């Protein structure tokens, strides 16, 4: 990260939300941001400054895209009615997926904790101050026969930018997560946000100041998931 990287003690504390303090925290070393990043779903209803959201989208725009097409669009949703409409889709989808998840993991305390956080997000969706909806211009023609890798190639032009946004949010201390269930029906989601048929919403990133703090993350050892030449 270099000798000029700021240490934790040199940066403005995460509780300070002034624009100067937030800009100061942008100096978080990349490795630290990656090692402490996690999905933060429980956020406060307190407003998030527009300048911060635009700065995160600027960082998202630095990501690579297929053939450098830069075929992205970002819808920033703060309107209560639009959030409520997306929230209704979220609840309908979660009623199915959450029910299955709770049944399958009924004896797994760790997963119950995760599912509880998602349930909180579902229940308080309209209170989340900002939703960023990354979109792709140009449909992937789902009804035309294509090789299996085509969808991953298509979405590969948006998800690197989403990761940039998530890492930026981590650096400045904003809570964020990547979700897709509010887009249960892309047709309905397009109508809610006034998107033309040629623009596909890919995911939703709720943003807000965390109720708590970023905590430690637990991941499987790299040796358990890495394979040389063959699985």
């Amino acid at each position: 990260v270099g000798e000029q990287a700021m240490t934790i003690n040199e940066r403005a504390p995460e509780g300070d939300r002034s624009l100067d303090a937030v800009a100061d925290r942008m100096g978080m070393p990349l490795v630290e941001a990656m090692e402490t990043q996690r999905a933060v779903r429980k956020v406060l209803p307190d407003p998030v400054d527009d300048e911060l959201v635009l700065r995160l989208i600027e960082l998202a725009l630095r990501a690579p895209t297929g053939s450098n097409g830069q075929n992205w669009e970002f819808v920033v949703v703060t309107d209560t009615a639009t959030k409520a409409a997306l929230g209704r889709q979220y609840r309908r989808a979660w009623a199915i997926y959450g029910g299955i998840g709770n049944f399958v993991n009924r004896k797994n305390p760790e997963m119950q904790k995760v599912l509880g956080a998602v349930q909180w997000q579902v229940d308080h969706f309209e209170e989340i101050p900002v939703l960023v909806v990354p979109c792709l211009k140009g449909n992937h023609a789902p009804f035309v026969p294509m090789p299996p890798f085509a969808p991953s190639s298509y979405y590969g032009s948006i998800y690197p930018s989403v990761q940039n946004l998530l890492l930026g949010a981590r650096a400045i201390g904003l809570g964020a997560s990547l979700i897709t269930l509010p887009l249960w029906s892309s047709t309905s989601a397009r109508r809610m946000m006034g998107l033309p048929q040629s623009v596909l919403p890919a995911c939703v990133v709720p943003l807000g100041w965390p109720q708590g703090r970023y905590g430690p993350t637990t991941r499987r050892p790299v040796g358990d998931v890495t394979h040389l030449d063959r699985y």
Side-chain angles (χ1 to χ4, degrees):
V1 295
E3 294 181 357
Q4 299 302 316
M6 302 175 70
T7 67
I8 294 175
N9 292 330
E10 290 173 335
R11 291 195 305 272
E14 290 192 359
D16 189 342
R17 302 179 194 170
S18 67
L19 290 179
D20 286 344
V22 171
D24 184 29
R25 290 198 294 270
M26 277 289 185
M28 174 181 285
L30 177 60
V31 170
E32 182 185 344
M34 290 191 294
E35 289 184 339
T36 60
Q37 182 189 25
R38 64 185 305 152
V40 176
R41 297 181 175 89
K42 295 183 178 181
V43 298
L44 300 169
D46 304 6
V48 176
D49 195 286
D50 292 345
E51 289 187 36
L52 299 183
V53 179
L54 291 176
R55 179 61 179 134
L56 293 179
I57 294 176
E58 284 180 340
L59 294 175
L61 297 181
R62 297 295 180 176
T65 57
S67 301
N68 196 30
Q70 303 186 42
N71 54 326
W72 41 36
E73 301 284 347
F74 295 85
V75 180
V76 178
V77 179
T78 59
D79 175 67
T80 302
T82 305
K83 287 191 287 186
L86 288 167
R88 285 191 291 272
Q89 284 211 132
Y90 196 0
R91 281 186 276 276
R92 281 195 291 268
W94 182 246
I96 298 172
Y97 284 96
I100 294 171
N102 277 299
F103 177 77
V104 172
N105 296 285
R106 60 191 181 279
K107 296 182 180 180
N108 184 337
E110 288 300 316
M111 277 304 301
Q112 284 293 321
K113 183 178 179 181
V114 173
L115 292 167
V118 178
Q119 185 65 60
W120 186 97
Q121 189 179 64
V122 170
D123 294 339
H124 298 267
F125 199 67
E126 292 84 349
E127 301 167 24
I128 297 171
V130 179
L131 308 175
V132 177
V133 184
C135 307
L136 278 169
K137 289 191 297 185
N139 286 317
H140 60 303
F143 303 111
V144 177
M146 293 188 298
F149 65 80
S152 64
S153 178
Y154 177 73
Y155 287 104
S157 284
I158 192 66
Y159 281 115
S161 69
V162 175
Q163 176 67 345
N164 274 16
L165 193 152
L166 293 170
L167 286 171
R170 168 62 194 104
I172 64 179
L174 273 174
S177 59
L178 189 163
I179 61 176
T180 56
L181 291 184
L183 307 177
W184 175 266
S185 166
S186 59
T187 300
S188 297
R190 281 191 180 99
R191 185 174 62 251
M192 294 169 193
M193 293 179 284
L195 296 173
Q197 189 65 26
S198 60
V199 176
L200 179 70
C203 63
V204 180
V205 179
L207 291 173
W209 298 107
Q211 290 187 7
R213 289 182 174 273
Y214 276 88
T217 57
T218 302
R219 297 292 185 266
R220 294 168 60 189
V222 65
D224 289 358
V225 299
T226 306
H227 313 273
L228 180 61
D229 296 329
R230 297 175 63 86
Y231 185 79

